[in-house]
Amino acid sequence: MKNNKLRYTVQAAVIAAAYAVLTMAIRPLGIADGAIQFRLSEALTILPVLTHAAIPGLTIGCFVANLTSNSGPLDLVFGTFASLIAAVLTYLTRNIQYKGVPWLSSLFPVIVNAVVISWMLTFFVLEGEASLNVFLFNAATIGLGQMVCCVGGGLPLHAALKNKNLGFRREEN
């Protein structure tokens, strides 16, 4: 029992650290925040398919990364909330797979971030007139970046880890 708690805590901590470091490493390139973003760390959003520890790991990692976000305190709230919701939905759909690939699970971070972050940017962060068109543009650009990172990066990561004994073994229920 004690070993399982330790494994869970270590997994969550490693995922949090990896997410935060990957996000902060690309922040100087200007692609970690804003209406057009390609957070390489979003490839890690597939990890709830493999371990429940990814839910707190991704949530804490996002919070830490967003401490230095260009969107300020709003990103701490909305970004962290979006990561939590996406991670929970990814975990809940982990058993829905097509030919061993969790396609549906990989889409939740795309959808949740496209909606939540676009809403935050459109109505609270970006200067100018907030409108449905601005929201849809932001949702499209954020969704595209998320699709590249979550699906394009996350599914290969899942394939690489799913059969490895790296502590990220797929949890069965």
Side-chain angles (χ1 to χ4, degrees), residues 5-76:
K5 287 181 182 181
L6 178 62
R7 174 184 287 218
Y8 185 90
T9 302
V10 169
Q11 285 180 350
V14 167
I15 293 167
Y19 186 97
V21 167
L22 286 170
T23 301
M24 290 189 272
I26 65 162
R27 188 157 277 132
L29 301 176
I31 59 172
D33 305 299
I36 299 175
Q37 54 181 264
F38 290 90
R39 286 188 176 190
L40 303 177
S41 54
E42 289 293 304
L44 301 176
T45 61
I46 199 66
L47 293 179
V49 170
L50 302 173
T51 177
H52 184 273
I55 296 173
L58 292 169
T59 305
I60 293 165
C62 182
F63 180 84
V64 171
N66 287 344
L67 287 170
T68 58
S69 169
N70 297 332
S71 299
L74 288 171
D75 211 7
L76 286 173

Side-chain angles (χ1 to χ4, degrees), residues 43-166:
L44 301 176
T45 61
I46 199 66
L47 293 179
V49 170
L50 302 173
T51 177
H52 184 273
I55 296 173
L58 292 169
T59 305
I60 293 165
C62 182
F63 180 84
V64 171
N66 287 344
L67 287 170
T68 58
S69 169
N70 297 332
S71 299
L74 288 171
D75 211 7
L76 286 173
V77 175
F78 290 103
T80 303
F81 173 75
S83 290
L84 173 62
I85 297 305
V88 168
L89 292 171
T90 299
Y91 179 78
L92 291 175
T93 58
R94 70 193 180 283
N95 293 322
I96 302 171
Q97 299 188 12
Y98 178 72
K99 295 187 178 184
V101 179
W103 291 100
L104 180 62
S105 296
S106 72
L107 294 176
F108 283 110
V110 176
I111 296 165
V112 171
N113 279 290
V115 172
V116 174
I117 303 306
S118 299
W119 184 80
M120 177 194 76
L121 290 174
T122 302
F123 296 104
F124 294 108
V125 177
L126 298 177
E127 295 180 16
E129 186 175 323
S131 68
L132 179 59
N133 288 338
V134 173
F135 171 78
L136 293 175
F137 174 79
N138 289 337
T141 58
I142 288 173
L144 176 63
Q146 287 290 114
M147 184 70 75
V148 168
C149 296
C150 298
V151 178
L155 291 179
L157 178 63
H158 174 265
L161 294 177
K162 72 178 178 180
N163 294 321
K164 305 293 184 212
N165 188 9
L166 302 173

